[in-house]
Amino acid sequence: MTTVIEELLAQLRDLEREGLEAVRAGGDAGALEALRTEYLGRKGRLTGILRRLGELSAEERPAIGAEANRVKEALGALLDERAASFASAADDGPRVDLSLPGRARWQGGVHPVSLVIDEICDIFRDLGFSRVAGPEVETVEYNFSKLNTPLDHPAADMHDTFYLSDGVVLRTHTSPVQARVMEAFQPPVRVVVPGMAYRRDPFDASHAPGFAQVEGLAVDEGITFADFKATISEFVRRFFGADAKTRFRPSFFPFTEPSAEVDVSCRICRGAGCSACKHTGWMEIMGSGMVHPSVFANVGYDPEKYTGYAFGMGPARIAMQRYGLPDIRLLYESDMRFLKQFV
Ligand code: 2NL
């Protein structure tokens, strides 16, 4: 037969084992408080055991009392430790939920017109041209007069040019930059000049009042029309592909003589004729020519000593051909739904 003291010691041992196990498994602060009440509370299991102290002799009581205190402290300490760890976890704020799907990052991209500008300038860099820039607000003198364009020429008309004040305009082409380059540097000169230019045009499917341009200029002793044709044909092959053919058509510009329009064999039908090239088999990509001797004289170059060629193209027009765009306004409206496609 077991004695009462043996029974109480066994109960204390069980209570300690079960209690420690339950506290270790306790999943949150609330569960721990419930366990504290269940085991150590005023009407809890430990109190239940101690209530039987009266059944023991005065000599037996201290041993059970001491053991009960030890169990109470062990359980209490573990409860405090676990509760503290939950409290500090809560202080860290919301936990990171690693199962959430990632948020897409904002992706910047280069504008399609800038892509074309950079590609053009990179090709000409390989052909020996430097890239330069200049002011968008220009004087009438640099925008028209130095370029052999009389002020009664239709291009200089108030109707076609944004005049800011007497003698000051938004440049109608980037050519004034080349004039400034020639005044600042002696030949040989080889430059490409990308930038915005402005003309008083209606904003429609094929015109924009502000548009990007890339012009080029090469000046040296002995430059001929053959150099010009070879350089432009090489550019066309590198930009449009090895099988792209180049065609030069007579034209007129006040600042070049002779002048030519440059066409490339249609990239869509390969010259057979389609709606993209209006059934001609060719797409116009630039205006060009040999620099007019008067332009050289105007910037202080000796027209008897130097010759050169110049050209101008619209990268937005080329972007329209390349990406099959029906309307130039898509390239100048900054609509993210359109531009996102080029990221
Ligand atoms: C076009 C035609 C052209 C030039 C630009 C130029 C510049 C100097 C001297 C001579 Cl400084 N010419 N530039 C020459 C021919 C054509 O542009 O249709 N541009 C979009």
Side-chain angles (χ1 to χ4, degrees):
M1 215 187 111
T2 55
T3 59
V4 176
I5 189 165
E6 283 167 344
E7 199 183 323
L8 293 183
L9 280 171
Q11 284 180 5
L12 281 172
R13 228 177 15 248
D14 289 348
L15 181 139
E16 180 181 21
R17 184 173 39 75
E18 288 167 26
L20 290 175
E21 209 169 282
V23 170
R24 279 191 200 102
D28 57 44
L32 291 178
E33 269 326 291
L35 288 170
R36 195 187 291 275
T37 307
E38 179 187 341
Y39 283 86
L40 307 180
R42 221 155 35 81
K43 297 177 182 170
R45 288 171 58 176
L46 188 66
T47 310
I49 294 168
L50 294 176
R51 219 174 264 137
R52 296 181 61 195
L53 274 179
E55 298 172 30
L56 297 173
S57 68
E59 299 81 54
E60 288 171 322
R61 271 177 222 159
I64 294 298
E67 182 62 5
N69 267 337
R70 196 191 59 72
V71 169
K72 182 179 179 177
E73 260 157 48
L75 259 179
L78 187 64
L79 277 164
D80 291 347
E81 184 191 314
R82 294 274 292 153
S85 81
F86 280 121
S88 72
D91 286 350
D92 286 347
R95 310 269 76 197
V96 175
D97 183 350
L98 296 173
S99 71
L100 281 174
R103 228 171 288 162
R105 283 242 223 140
W106 179 267
Q107 279 228 288
V110 179
H111 192 282
V113 172
S114 299
L115 287 173
V116 169
I117 289 173
D118 289 346
E119 229 178 284
I120 292 168
C121 291
D122 285 351
I123 291 171
F124 278 104
R125 182 186 53 208
D126 289 347
L127 298 175
F129 289 68
S130 303
R131 177 174 177 159
V132 298
E136 294 183 8
V137 173
E138 266 294 0
T139 59
V140 165
E141 186 189 5
Y142 277 88
N143 192 80
F144 295 121
S145 308
K146 296 226 181 218
L147 295 163
N148 201 39
T149 306
L151 295 183
D152 58 6
H153 189 280
D157 196 287
M158 297 273 290
H159 221 82
D160 290 322
T161 298
F162 292 110
Y163 281 79
L164 300 183
S165 64
D166 225 13
V168 181
V169 297
L170 288 181
R171 68 183 181 192
T172 60
H173 42 195
T174 61
S175 315
V177 181
Q178 289 98 287
R180 292 179 185 282
V181 166
M182 288 188 281
E183 287 183 339
F185 299 93
Q186 286 303 301
V189 159
R190 283 192 296 270
V191 290
V192 277
V193 186
M196 291 299 284
Y198 303 87
R199 287 182 197 169
R200 234 185 119 208
D201 280 332
F203 206 0
D204 62 27
S206 51
H207 298 85
F211 57 97
Q213 231 204 350
V214 181
E215 288 201 35
L217 172 74
V219 185
D220 202 352
E221 285 184 60
I223 289 188
T224 69
F225 201 75
D227 296 312
F228 166 59
K229 289 181 75 176
T231 303
I232 295 301
S233 301
E234 180 60 17
F235 162 74
V236 165
R237 282 189 291 272
R238 292 195 192 189
F239 188 89
F240 291 99
D243 64 333
K245 291 182 177 54
T246 308
R247 180 174 80 170
F248 298 83
R249 269 184 300 122
S251 184
F252 174 84
F253 299 104
F255 27 77
T256 47
E257 179 61 32
S259 304
E261 302 287 345
V262 178
D263 299 335
V264 57
S265 48
C266 180
R267 306 322 301 144
I268 293 166
C269 62
R270 311 262 142 194
C274 67
S275 61
C277 60
K278 299 199 186 91
H279 302 281
T280 63
W282 296 93
M283 298 205 273
E284 187 178 318
I285 55 160
M286 66 173 89
S288 62
M290 299 304 288
V291 179
H292 197 290
S294 301
V295 174
F296 285 147
N298 292 341
V299 297
Y301 280 5
D302 180 356
E304 296 297 327
K305 188 171 175 195
Y306 296 115
T307 52
Y309 57 84
F311 52 89
M313 56 190 133
R317 289 265 159 79
I318 293 171
M320 286 171 74
Q321 294 170 6
R322 163 170 286 189
Y323 302 115
L325 308 177
D327 194 315
I328 201 168
R329 287 171 290 195
L330 287 167
L331 292 169
Y332 292 120
E333 278 173 341
S334 301
D335 186 331
M336 287 306 295
R337 291 169 301 179
F338 169 73
L339 294 175
K340 261 198 313 216
Q341 303 174 93
F342 295 90
V343 168

